[in-house]
Amino acid sequence: MNSAEGIIISPLKEELIEDIHKTNDSFKVFGKVVPSFQSGKWSFEEILFDEVKNIRFPDDQLDWIEYIDSEDKALFLAYRNDDCIGQIRIIQDWNRFCYIENIATKEDFRGHGIGSLLLTKAEEWAKERNLIGISLEAQDDNLGACRFYVKQGFVLGGVDTLKQSSNPQIDATLYWYKLFK
């Protein structure tokens, strides 16, 4: 059985707010993306680290009510057997892209199609608003996430070498885009 079967994607409701942080598991940092820009196009190579580290982002502290029944932002939660196993948080950005603020899947469910289902939901939401695509940012040391985005049809569209200046582990913020046809 495909583990994506039986998954319910629900928009955020007040009674589900307590589930938001349940998907914030640690993830493995095992390599980095090294971007290059030639002839007007971004490409990249991968470098694997000698040592694998586990990282967990701090829980976001936002006014979650703002994501309920909003025209320009949304948060969708993925459930399996009433357990929250994933989420995607999106906004309608000024540049007519659906910007992914966060996407997360519980560690035990990674690689089973949950992230793809959440991205499909974000794409549906964006197309309902006549947006031109989806965008997001990732740090260059999150190779696993970057591989996932490429697999989902995203292309590298830009690099910022200053945004993470306070973090010596990160050389660049990578901007990924998926344009609708």
Side-chain angles (χ1 to χ4, degrees):
M1 176 174 121
N2 179 346
S3 37
E5 290 178 24
I7 303 301
I8 296 169
I9 308 291
S10 174
L12 184 63
K13 300 173 195 143
E14 203 164 340
E15 62 270 19
L16 302 178
I17 288 175
E18 65 188 37
D19 291 342
I20 291 170
H21 297 302
K22 291 181 180 177
T23 62
N24 190 17
D25 287 353
S26 64
F27 59 94
K28 292 184 182 347
V29 173
F30 57 88
K32 73 186 303 179
V33 170
V34 180
S36 63
F37 190 71
Q38 293 179 344
S39 304
K41 193 166 183 168
W42 286 101
S43 63
F44 61 90
E45 294 180 11
E46 296 180 358
I47 296 177
L48 298 178
F49 297 147
D50 294 332
E51 184 180 319
V52 176
K53 289 189 265 181
N54 278 319
I55 292 180
R56 183 181 178 277
F57 291 130
D59 288 337
D60 291 322
Q61 302 300 319
L62 300 173
D63 183 358
W64 301 113
I65 298 293
E66 291 181 9
Y67 289 84
I68 299 173
D69 297 323
S70 173
E71 249 328 285
D72 62 351
K73 58 176 68 174
L75 195 154
F76 296 99
L77 299 167
Y79 287 90
R80 182 167 186 212
N81 301 328
D82 295 326
D83 293 322
C84 185
I85 59 170
Q87 69 151 285
I88 191 164
R89 190 173 75 232
I90 54 180
I91 62 169
Q92 182 174 324
D93 215 347
W94 62 271
N95 57 3
R96 296 198 49 230
F97 276 89
C98 169
Y99 179 76
I100 298 175
E101 294 181 318
N102 187 40
I103 182 170
T105 302
K106 289 199 64 64
E107 188 172 11
D108 291 346
F109 291 91
R110 292 180 191 147
H112 296 281
I114 309 308
S116 297
L117 288 173
L118 291 165
L119 281 174
T120 297
K121 188 65 176 175
E123 191 168 322
E124 290 170 3
W125 183 90
K127 287 179 176 177
E128 287 171 4
R129 286 154 181 76
N130 295 314
L131 302 180
I132 63 172
I134 300 176
S135 68
L136 58 89
E137 64 182 68
Q139 286 67 47
D140 65 347
D141 70 340
N142 194 348
L143 181 56
C146 293
R147 284 178 173 174
F148 171 73
Y149 303 136
V150 169
K151 185 178 176 185
Q152 298 301 315
F154 284 76
V155 296
L156 184 60
V159 175
D160 185 334
T161 59
L162 298 176
K163 188 168 190 174
Q164 294 287 335
S165 294
S166 65
N167 188 338
Q169 314 300 331
I170 300 171
D171 294 327
T173 298
L174 308 173
Y175 296 92
W176 296 94
Y177 295 88
K178 181 176 183 180
L179 291 167
F180 301 147
K181 307 232 185 276

